[in-house]
Amino acid sequence: MSAVVVFTEDEPWFINSYNWHPILERSTAASMSSADREKLDEHIDVIGVNFPLIEGAGARRAVAEFLLRIVEELQQDLAASGEENSAEAMAKYEDLTRKMRREIRQITT
């Protein structure tokens, strides 16, 4: 199985479930209020994220910023680990961070 992140104005981003799982795991482990958790869980799940389906610019931005922070932390951890097999995942995550930043800019403007 794979996951997809669908952006408002960018091409979708696809990844296998093996590399999506750490993102999902970290997002689930993040501490936040139960109301924020409920809203987030509504939008980030095992099949990915679909930004066009998130109602309201504020909600889209909050999900995008949260997901960007999770992916950036994951990239830092992978870089620090020095694992040889992490290069492919790092490239995929870097592509996602670029797209997430564009999504945030698009929401802001």
Side-chain angles (χ1 to χ4, degrees):
M1 182 147 193
S2 61
V4 62
V5 178
V6 178
F7 296 96
T8 307
E9 293 185 9
D10 208 340
E11 294 294 317
W13 179 85
F14 298 91
I15 195 163
N16 62 34
S17 57
Y18 176 80
N19 288 316
W20 178 251
H21 181 73
I23 295 171
L24 190 60
E25 190 174 70
R26 286 172 184 245
S27 71
T28 303
S31 60
M32 60 186 64
S33 72
S34 60
D36 288 340
R37 166 63 53 207
E38 187 175 312
K39 289 177 188 176
L40 187 66
D41 289 347
E42 185 178 315
H43 302 297
I44 300 175
D45 58 28
V46 295
I47 59 171
V49 179
N50 191 329
F51 284 103
L53 293 180
I54 300 173
E55 290 189 31
R60 278 194 315 276
R61 183 180 177 98
V63 172
E65 288 174 342
F66 175 79
L67 188 58
L68 177 61
R69 188 173 61 248
I70 294 293
V71 174
E72 287 175 336
E73 290 171 3
L74 182 58
Q75 287 176 288
Q76 290 172 359
D77 291 350
L78 280 173
S81 75
E83 294 179 30
E84 290 179 33
N85 60 354
S86 66
E88 185 177 335
M90 285 290 288
K92 288 292 283 185
Y93 295 148
E94 182 58 36
D95 186 40
L96 178 58
T97 59
R98 280 192 301 272
K99 289 180 179 226
M100 294 300 301
R101 288 181 185 126
R102 281 194 297 260
E103 182 72 18
I104 293 167
R105 280 194 306 273
Q106 185 273 329
I107 294 166
T108 304
T109 57

